[in-house]
């Protein structure tokens, strides 16, 4: 007789459910993950000032999601408790290359994240909180970040579906 085969996303999610994709220190600071580029690449957003002069961030924003949460998102349509989404920002690079004119990524200038945790953030919208390792004064990344709360959440609550992840802007998540 034939046995049923589990959906690959469910198998992967089950295998990865105990994987820790982020860590907090004893003071509640989120430690910077070093391997986030090995996660699921959700996509890149950009709105350069040359196209829209009033844009707040003339840059590229690359977004990565931990693999376990991505698989559950694809399977269920919601991000589970424990999700981490990392956003790295680069400057606009050169607009010419051997393959044509366009906007290319320049230098890395920022790294931030959002984490969904009911136990850590029971009083935040959707249990999401936000973090940034960017140290603009010293032009480097810090190893840890305190929770930023309203500094980022106001925009997400007002504009992101369900107040958390801007999944509506990334084809990988809409697919």
């Amino acid at each position: 007789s034939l046995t049923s085969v589990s959906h690959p996303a469910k198998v992967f999610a089950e295998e990865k459910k105990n994987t820790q994709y982020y860590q907090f220190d004893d003071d509640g600071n989120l430690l910077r993950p070093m391997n986030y580029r090995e996660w699921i690449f959700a996509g890149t957003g950009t709105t350069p000032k040359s196209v829209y002069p009033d844009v707040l961030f003339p840059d590229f924003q690359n977004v990565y999601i931990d693999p376990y949460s991505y698989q559950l998102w694809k399977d269920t349509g919601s991000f589970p408790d424990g999700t981490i989404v990392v956003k790295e920002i680069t400057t606009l690079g050169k607009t010419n290359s051997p393959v044509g004119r366009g906007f290319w990524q320049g230098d890395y200038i920022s790294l931030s994240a959002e984490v969904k945790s009911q136990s850590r953030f029971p009083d935040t919208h959707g249990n999401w909180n936000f973090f940034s390792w960017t140290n603009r004064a010293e032009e480097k990344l810090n190893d840890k970040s305190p929770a930023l709360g309203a500094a980022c959440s106001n925009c997400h609550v007002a504009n992101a579906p369900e107040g958390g992840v801007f999944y509506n802007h990334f084809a990988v998540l809409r697919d």
Side-chain angles (χ1 to χ4, degrees):
S1 73
L2 296 174
T3 58
S4 64
V5 177
S6 295
H7 188 278
K10 289 181 182 178
V11 171
F12 180 86
E14 185 63 29
E15 291 172 358
K16 298 296 183 183
K17 73 179 179 182
N18 294 321
T19 301
Q20 185 66 39
Y21 289 98
Y22 59 85
Q23 250 184 322
F24 286 91
D25 67 13
D26 292 339
D27 295 323
N29 296 302
L30 181 62
L31 303 180
R32 180 167 41 107
M34 302 312 261
N35 64 343
Y36 67 90
R37 288 190 185 117
E38 297 171 11
W39 300 354
I40 303 302
F41 178 63
T44 299
T46 187
T47 308
K49 280 192 177 289
S50 61
V51 174
Y52 183 64
D54 297 331
V55 69
L56 294 174
F57 307 107
D59 53 32
F60 287 96
Q61 300 178 19
N62 301 320
V63 175
Y64 302 84
I65 301 172
D66 75 86
Y68 173 72
S69 298
Y70 170 79
Q71 290 299 329
L72 287 182
W73 159 257
K74 296 307 281 184
D75 197 33
T76 68
S78 61
F79 290 100
D81 196 66
T83 297
I84 180 170
V85 178
V86 171
K87 177 177 69 174
E88 64 182 7
I89 298 178
T90 69
T91 61
L92 290 178
K94 297 181 179 193
T95 58
N96 278 323
S97 82
V99 296
R101 290 183 49 85
F103 294 101
W104 308 95
Q105 294 189 31
D107 297 327
Y108 293 101
I109 57 173
S110 177
L111 187 65
S112 58
E114 62 180 317
V115 172
K116 183 176 183 178
S117 174
Q118 184 176 17
S119 63
R120 287 188 177 274
F121 315 118
D123 299 325
T124 63
H125 184 82
N127 305 123
W128 290 99
N129 215 321
F130 303 85
F131 304 84
S132 176
W133 299 283
T134 305
N135 182 331
R136 294 193 195 283
E138 297 180 27
E139 297 182 356
K140 68 172 194 160
L141 293 176
N142 294 327
D143 292 330
K144 57 187 177 180
S145 171
L148 300 176
C152 294
S153 67
N154 291 339
C155 181
H156 283 255
V157 169
N159 299 295
E162 303 166 34
V165 178
F166 287 97
Y167 60 79
N168 52 320
H169 296 301
F170 299 101
V172 169
L173 296 175
R174 289 190 320 260
D175 182 24

